[in-house]
Each structure stands twice: as structure tokens, then as C-alpha cells.
Amino acid sequence: MTRRFSKKGAEALALLWVVGTTLAYLAQFRDLLDTVLAVLGR
Amino acid sequence: MIGGLVVLWTAAACLGGGALALAAFGLWRDLPAGPRVAYGLPLGFGLLGIAVFPLGVAGLLTASAMAALLAAGSAGLWLWRQPAPAAKVAPAVRGRGDWPWIGLVSFLLLTIGGLYLLVAAQPPTDGDSMAYHFANVRLFAEAGRVQFIPRAADGATPMTVQMTYLPPYILGGERAMTLWSAATLGGLGIQIVVFLRRAVPVAWALAGAGVLLTLPVTVYGGSSGQVEMKNAMFVLGAAFAVAEAARDGDRRHALLAGLLAGLFVGSKYLGLQFAAAAGLVLILQRRWLTSGAVYVSGVIITGISWYIWNFAHTGDPVFPVLFDLLELPDHAFWTADVHANFEERFAIEERRVPASLVWLVLYPFRVVFDPLPLFEAGRTGPGPVFALLLPFAFLGLVRFRKDAAVGDLWRALAVGVLFYALWFLIPSSQRFRHMAPVLPLVGVVFTATAWLWFDRLGRVRILVLAAAVTLGFQMAIQGGFSLPYLRHALSGESRDAFLDRMIPEYPVVRWINGHLSADDRGATQLRHALYHLRVPYLYVQPDFQALVDVRAATGDVDRFLAQLRAQGVTHLIATPHEPGPGYTGMAASLVADGTAVAVADFDTPVMISRTLGRNPEAPPARYQVLRLRDPGAPRP
């Protein structure tokens, strides 16, 4: 029971890290996205 | 067609040359097939550069000499007849081939490789490659010999990697050279798979290669002449050779590590810091003295040639780093004033954060999540993968530290981390791409140890998610980067029209090529167009040379004119400006007093980037071609 919980907990934390890190990384490209959209809209 | 064949022949020569070198010190017969390639390919690649250099110095850059060299290297393929011992693969990952996944990832790898080759098959446009990686190679090939280029940073600098571009260029022309430069990424990919395969299943080794070959910084430079990912082959090979030498005390691996580290030394000054880092990790063993001596011998054998070349021409083997320390006298191309300016500009333009222990830790995180503009790590950074894997890699390294394969990963990682620390703490340029050669090494260690941890947890699907997100994002970037080249390949657009689109100042270059002759010489600061100039030129860089002193504060127009004439300059390419100091200011002074006359005017567009095209909101940049009147006449 404890082992299953710790595995599930580890998996949830790992998933949180992957999602959070990806979003934090992508946040720096907000300005670039505006530029890309402007270029595509030309 | 001929370009592709020359590339294949050059690859065969590298594979064969590496085999011959490994056999020469008795390592070949004991290596399984994978390490034969993972060590032999970078070794043969670097040794090709080492072999071309003396031929170039001797004025033997001819098709027959290049063909003889490739033939000699290819002869080493004969050694492959010798059966290789079986590879050591961890029991946990043996027989875990997952064919659908292997098929999918192999398809993605072929797509990645195809895109790199597609970009490389079009006329070259990368700025640094136009300034020197390819430009210097073209100068050497046309002169038939390697010449000393009296310019710091991109002229008088180690060029072992660029030497490998000469056989393809001389035998197959521009496209063979550009394809060869991109094809070397295939060698890096094979290395990544081989070293990952020691700890993870085949599908994961292939996926790791896919992720590491599409890092934004790799996409940015992979199809160009830039040397970072070529040096990554030396780093990866040397780090694992160090790990094996430190584990077993095998001096053959110590020599191999030294030879590979020396090839990095011979390709970039930064290689000196890497060689020091690898050497420090190597000597942390019982047989440190003999292994260390063997390692240093290897570094000297492959690393020293360009330092002798620089010493012979400048008196400074690490030109211009030791100019003050050696108290060298002023040269025509380097003076105490120019050196002081160089050091001052370097501190301002190449460094933004203190070389402190705090920033040593913070720098990688800033590079990934919030890079300063100087780091040049936004669109051309390391991507998210290292941050994604960091905690799991750490857990894996600690949890499995007693496994033999993980022990090697620890040692290899120590080489990479120490190299990074030496680079950061010894004042160097803080542009992130200088650390790009270490990324595949760190990526291999992180991927392997993170996989081990997730596999033990029984939750590899999280890693699948991270890999899929990263690979999808990075392949989208690679696809976007490749689009302008794909458009050219499919549209039948002319070379000139393509270069007009990709290099904003190319119309100026086209005019120069059409109106000047081999008897003229153009002075220019258009560094990212130098390769395409077909007439003699002088690159009047403001901070890296003194032949024509154009530092920002220099305003002595008489001296400027005398130096231009001493270099045989007949024309100048300059931006219209008010008379004053610096290159454009002094050029304007020559126009104002009638010494020079404008013979052509250009309005050129400003680019957002090669991928995103022109910036319609920015006013055009203006250039003029100026002709010096009455050579030899004094100024009015």
C-alpha cells in the first residue's frame, strides 16, 4: 500500500515537473509567437 | 551527385583512418563494433584535418593530394574484416528491442537527417560560416595553400575541423563541402546511440539521439560550417575514453582520450580548457602518473600544430591571448593599442554576469528559462530537455551509482561539468553556443540515468511524454528553420535570388562581383557575406586586426588612407555617414574631401531572421561602394 502510494506520488510529482518545466520554458517565446503570427498574417 | 559521392568517400576515409589509428596503438582488436565507430569516426575525422594542414602549408591543396589522402584513409576500412568482440550491454536492457518504437524513431531520425542535408544542399548563408568557416576554406583552396590570416578570433585561430572541409571542397565543390559539414552530425548521432546503448534499450538510444540532434542550438549550426557539433564528437569520445581509462587503468584508453581531447584543442582555443578538465578526471586513479603522461602525449600529438603555426607568425601560440604576458612588440597586424582595445571590447561585448560561484550555478538555468540577449540562447538555446531530465538524472545517478555503466556515466559527466566550470570561471565569452560541444555528453548521461530511474519506478511513460514533447517542439523548430531552404529547393529560384532573400546585403556583393576585377580589392565590414565575394577583399574588422586601424575612436584619416593603400585597397563598402572616427566616419571623410567617390548606392532590407524573413517596419539599411581616386595621390 505504502509502496504503491509512493510510486503514484513519485509519478504525480514527475508529471508535475515535466508539465511545469515545459510551460516555464515555453513562456520565454511569447514575444516570438507574436512575431511569427505577424509574419504569417502578412 | 558528385557532391554526395565525395561526401561518402570522405566519410569512408574518416572511418578507415580512425580504424588505422586505433589499430596503431592496439585498441582496435579489443573494441566491439559500436565503440569502433564511436571512437574511430571522430578520431579519423580529426586526423583527416591534422593530415590536410601540413599539405596546405606545403602548398599541396590539389585534387590529386586530397584524393590520395582520402584513398589512404579509406584503406583502413580493410580492418573491419577483423571480427569485433561482443558489446557489453547491461543485462536489464538486453533483448528489449521494441520494434514499432524503433521503427517510428528511426523514421524521425531519417527525417531529421534529411532536413539537415536539404538545408546544407542549398547555397550557404550562415553568418559565421560566411565570415570564416567556409570563407577561409575557400581562400585556402583558391590559393592552393593554407595562408596565415592576420586577424584574431576568426583568422589566426585553430582550424583542424575546417581543414576537413578542404578535401570535399577541392574534389566536389561548394555543395560537397556544405553537405560534408552537415553529414558529420550523422557521426555524432552514431556516437550518441552507441554510448546510450550501454545503459538503455535500442529505441531509447535512438530517441535520445533524435532529441540531442534537434536541440535548437544544433539546428541553428548543424547545417552550416560551425564547429560546435563537430567538437561535440571529440568531447563525447574523449569523456567516455577518460571514463574507461580511469575505471580500468588502460593506457590505450588514456591515449585515445588524449588524442580526441587534442583534436578539440586543435579546433578551438576552448579545447585547452576541455583538455585540462578531462586530464584532471583521468588522473583521479591509481596509475595516474603513467596514464596522465600518455594522455598529455596524445593531446600534444593532435593539438599542437595550429599553436606552432600561430607562434611562428605572431610569437604567441594562443594569439592574441598572451600578447601582454610575452611582452611582444607591435606587429603590422597587432599593436599594444589594438590589444588593449580588444581586451576592453571583449569584457564589454562577451561578458554580462560575474564569473562567480553563484552565477556558475545560475547560468544554466538562465540560459534555459530566461537568457540574457548576450547569451544568444533563446531561439538558439539548449531546448527544454536538460531541465526536464535534471531531477530524474540526479536520482538515477545516485540510485545506481554502484553499477559499472553508471560509474562510467559519473566520470564522463565529471569531465563535462569540470569543463563547464573552467569555461565559466576563467573569463571566456559567455555566449552559450561555446558550451554546445558539451551538450550531447550531458544529454547522454541525463537520458541514460533518467531512464534507469523511471524504469526501476515502472513509470517510463512519463519519460515518453517528456521525450515526445521535446522532440515534437524541436522538430517543429527544425521544420520552420528549413522552410526557406525547402522553398528554394522546390521553386527553381536562382542562386542569386535565394541569396538576395537570405542575406540582406547580398545585392552589394553581387554588384562588387560584377564590377570589380582580380586587380581590385574591396575593404568591407560585411562579415556575413565575405564567402560570396569573388574578388579580392580585406575584412576591416574593428577590434580583431590592425592592418587598417578602424577602431571606434580612431579618426586619423591620413593613416587610414595610407593603410588602405598599403593593403592594395581600391574600393570600400561603407554605410553613408557623417565624417568622423571609425570606419564609416573615416570613409565619409574620404568622400567629403574628394579622395573617394561613391560609385553605387544600395538600400537593403533589415531581416528579423533568415527563418522569419524581412522586417517590414524597419527602415532599409544603406550601403555605398566607394572608389578611391588617384592611387598614390595625397589627400587634398
Side-chain angles (χ1 to χ4, degrees):
Chain A
M1 177 71 182
T2 308
R3 185 155 183 78
R4 182 179 297 171
F5 175 77
S6 70
K7 275 197 175 187
K8 281 197 169 181
E11 184 181 23
L13 279 175
L15 186 61
L16 196 63
W17 175 268
V18 168
V19 173
T21 303
T22 303
L23 292 177
Y25 172 77
L26 292 176
Q28 67 184 296
F29 296 113
R30 276 172 303 186
D31 293 346
L32 180 64
L33 186 64
D34 291 342
T35 308
V36 172
L37 292 175
V39 169
L40 291 176
R42 256 191 251 155
Chain B
M1 178 65 180
I2 184 75
L5 290 174
V6 169
V7 168
L8 286 176
W9 192 15
T10 312
C14 292
L15 201 55
L20 287 170
L22 289 170
F25 56 94
L27 198 53
W28 177 259
R29 65 174 182 272
D30 294 336
L31 286 179
R36 280 181 174 183
V37 181
Y39 289 132
L41 207 48
L43 191 56
F45 170 71
L47 290 176
L48 176 65
I50 296 284
V52 169
F53 181 50
L55 290 177
V57 173
L60 291 172
L61 293 182
T62 60
S64 52
M66 296 301 103
L69 202 56
L70 295 189
S74 306
L77 290 176
W78 186 253
L79 286 167
W80 275 93
R81 291 177 66 251
Q82 203 171 328
K88 289 177 198 163
V89 177
V93 297
R94 223 176 269 154
R96 288 179 64 169
D98 198 336
W99 292 109
W101 284 108
I102 290 172
L104 174 66
V105 182
S106 299
F107 172 74
L108 295 177
L109 277 171
L110 286 174
T111 307
I112 291 163
L115 285 174
Y116 275 120
L117 291 176
L118 170 88
V119 172
Q122 315 315 316
T125 58
D126 166 65
D128 283 352
S129 306
M130 300 301 91
Y132 65 110
H133 296 302
F134 289 155
N136 290 354
V137 167
R138 224 197 77 211
L139 285 177
F140 297 155
E142 287 175 357
R145 62 171 58 247
V146 171
Q147 297 170 318
F148 177 71
I149 298 174
R151 201 168 67 225
D154 56 13
T157 189
M159 285 190 271
T160 296
V161 164
Q162 288 92 336
M163 289 294 102
T164 73
Y165 303 166
L166 276 162
Y169 184 78
I170 291 169
L171 292 172
E174 176 186 281
R175 185 170 286 181
M177 171 178 70
T178 55
L179 282 173
W180 167 244
S181 181
T184 57
L185 276 177
L188 179 64
I190 292 171
Q191 278 187 299
I192 292 168
V193 171
V194 168
F195 291 124
L196 269 175
R197 182 70 187 102
R198 293 177 175 184
V200 306
V202 176
W204 275 104
L206 294 171
V211 168
L212 295 174
L213 290 179
T214 53
L215 301 177
V217 68
T218 314
V219 171
Y220 164 67
S223 298
S224 74
Q226 294 191 29
V227 299
E228 275 70 26
M229 286 301 146
K230 284 81 172 172
N231 288 334
M233 292 197 288
F234 304 143
V235 167
L236 199 51
F240 276 95
V242 162
E244 296 195 47
R247 187 215 315 137
D248 299 335
D250 186 335
R251 278 170 291 193
R252 295 173 303 171
H253 276 109
L255 180 60
L256 173 63
L259 293 169
L260 289 169
L263 290 170
F264 189 7
V265 171
S267 300
K268 203 165 180 172
Y269 289 147
L270 194 56
L272 290 164
Q273 280 138 298
F274 175 77
L280 281 171
V281 175
L282 180 75
I283 60 175
L284 296 175
Q285 57 163 311
R286 273 182 303 145
R287 298 171 68 181
W288 65 273
L289 188 58
T290 49
S291 288
V294 166
Y295 170 82
V296 171
S297 307
V299 172
I300 291 171
I301 289 168
T302 51
I304 201 166
S305 50
W306 282 96
Y307 295 80
I308 295 173
W309 174 256
N310 271 351
F311 178 74
H313 288 90
T314 69
D316 177 357
V318 203
F319 177 77
V321 178
L322 303 179
F323 184 82
D324 277 346
L325 194 71
L326 297 174
E327 298 179 349
L328 293 171
D330 287 358
H331 304 288
F333 51 86
W334 203 255
T335 65
D337 282 352
V338 167
H339 187 71
N341 176 68
F342 174 77
E343 293 205 317
E344 187 186 322
R345 302 301 305 166
F346 186 86
I348 294 170
E349 291 177 6
E350 300 293 326
R351 302 189 61 78
R352 279 292 178 285
V353 298
S356 64
L357 289 175
V358 171
W359 271 102
L360 177 73
V361 177
L362 285 182
Y363 178 87
F365 292 95
R366 282 300 296 260
V367 158
V368 172
F369 294 109
D370 186 22
L372 299 177
L374 174 92
F375 298 166
E376 293 181 344
R379 282 174 288 166
T380 54
V385 67
F386 300 96
L388 285 172
L389 296 182
L390 179 67
F392 317 117
F394 176 76
L395 290 167
L397 278 165
V398 173
R399 172 75 179 77
F400 302 101
R401 64 189 177 280
K402 287 179 182 163
D403 288 10
V406 178
D408 281 355
L409 294 174
W410 266 106
R411 293 183 197 95
L413 182 63
V415 172
V417 170
L418 202 52
F419 173 41
Y420 162 67
L422 288 176
W423 169 73
F424 191 85
L425 296 174
I426 297 173
S428 309
S429 167
Q430 289 175 343
R431 293 179 202 276
F432 158 74
R433 71 168 181 276
H434 295 299
M435 272 296 101
V438 86
L439 296 180
L441 167 62
V442 177
V444 164
V445 175
F446 276 24
T447 305
T449 48
W451 181 86
L452 286 169
W453 187 78
F454 276 114
D455 185 57
R456 183 60 63 93
L457 189 70
R459 295 291 189 273
V460 175
R461 62 193 178 197
I462 302 283
L463 202 55
V464 173
L465 174 71
V469 166
T470 308
L471 198 53
F473 173 72
Q474 292 181 169
M475 284 189 73
I477 287 179
Q478 191 193 11
F481 181 84
S482 308
L483 273 180
Y485 301 88
L486 184 65
R487 187 177 138 196
H488 173 63
L490 297 178
S491 67
E493 178 186 44
S494 72
R495 176 186 175 94
D496 279 344
F498 173 67
L499 291 172
D500 275 346
R501 187 155 63 82
M502 298 297 276
I503 303 176
E505 298 86 359
Y506 186 71
V508 186
V509 171
R510 213 153 25 89
W511 191 93
I512 292 274
N513 288 342
H515 290 80
L516 270 61
S517 71
D519 297 329
D520 295 312
R521 194 177 196 195
T524 178
Q525 293 191 321
L526 298 180
R527 76 187 292 275
H528 43 285
L530 297 179
Y531 170 83
H532 292 292
L533 284 167
R534 293 291 182 259
V535 295
Y537 65 84
L538 178 70
Y539 176 30
V540 281
Q541 212 284 343
D543 303 318
F544 296 169
Q545 56 85 39
L547 289 178
V548 178
D549 188 357
V550 291
R551 285 172 290 152
T554 308
D556 185 338
V557 183
D558 286 331
R559 190 170 71 123
F560 175 59
L561 182 62
Q563 289 179 328
L564 288 173
R565 284 180 169 154
Q567 294 302 316
V569 169
T570 57
H571 292 74
L572 296 87
I573 303 166
T575 308
H577 202 271
E578 293 299 313
Y583 176 68
T584 50
M586 289 192 288
S589 298
L590 294 179
V591 174
D593 65 23
T595 308
V597 59
V599 291
D601 278 275
F602 303 88
D603 283 341
T604 62
V606 172
M607 306 272 282
I608 302 170
S609 73
R610 280 176 284 159
T611 308
L612 296 174
R614 298 176 178 187
N615 183 349
E617 289 162 19
R622 292 193 62 206
Y623 289 96
Q624 287 183 322
V625 178
L626 311 175
R627 182 172 56 78
L628 289 176
R629 281 211 263 228
D630 302 330
R635 291 176 65 218

